[in-house]
Amino acid sequence: GRCEEHAVPMRERYAFAAARALAHVGVLAEYLAPLVETKGKLLAFKGPKGLGELEEVGGKWNLLGLSEPHILHYDSINRNYSFIIWEEKAPC
């Protein structure tokens, strides 16, 4: 199912939630954050635009109860990709 369909009935039920690059990184964090319990992790798979999207959001992750993102880079077929990881610090 879709994250937004599960945000209310499954609120803070999971230790880990992940999604591929389906939306802007800020929107993606908003979709995933309600699903994850405090001290849980969120993971986004992002392509070349991911780092620019992080800059657009700036340091506003605390508004969602999230840590600053940890970024792991990897290359595949001449393209740059990133895993973006947050920890849920407080209820969303």
Side-chain angles (χ1 to χ4, degrees):
R2 299 178 60 88
C3 294
E4 58 271 30
E5 294 170 357
H6 297 286
V8 173
M10 306 300 265
R11 190 166 201 84
E12 298 179 7
R13 189 167 184 172
Y14 301 102
F16 184 82
R20 59 183 172 83
L22 65 110
H24 186 283
V25 72
V27 174
L28 184 58
E30 285 187 73
Y31 284 162
L32 294 177
L35 299 172
V36 178
E37 65 192 12
T38 302
K39 297 189 180 181
K41 303 279 189 202
L42 285 68
L43 170 67
F45 299 86
K46 293 297 293 183
K49 295 180 183 178
L51 298 180
E53 293 173 4
L54 285 171
E55 288 180 16
E56 291 173 14
V57 174
K60 299 178 184 175
W61 303 109
N62 61 335
L63 297 175
L64 292 172
L66 301 176
S67 67
E68 289 295 315
H70 177 73
I71 304 161
L72 300 172
H73 301 282
Y74 67 97
D75 295 322
S76 176
I77 312 172
N78 299 324
R79 290 189 69 188
N80 298 321
Y81 294 93
S82 301
F83 292 121
I84 302 170
I85 304 162
W86 298 267
E87 181 176 328
E88 185 96 14
K89 295 290 195 180
C92 177

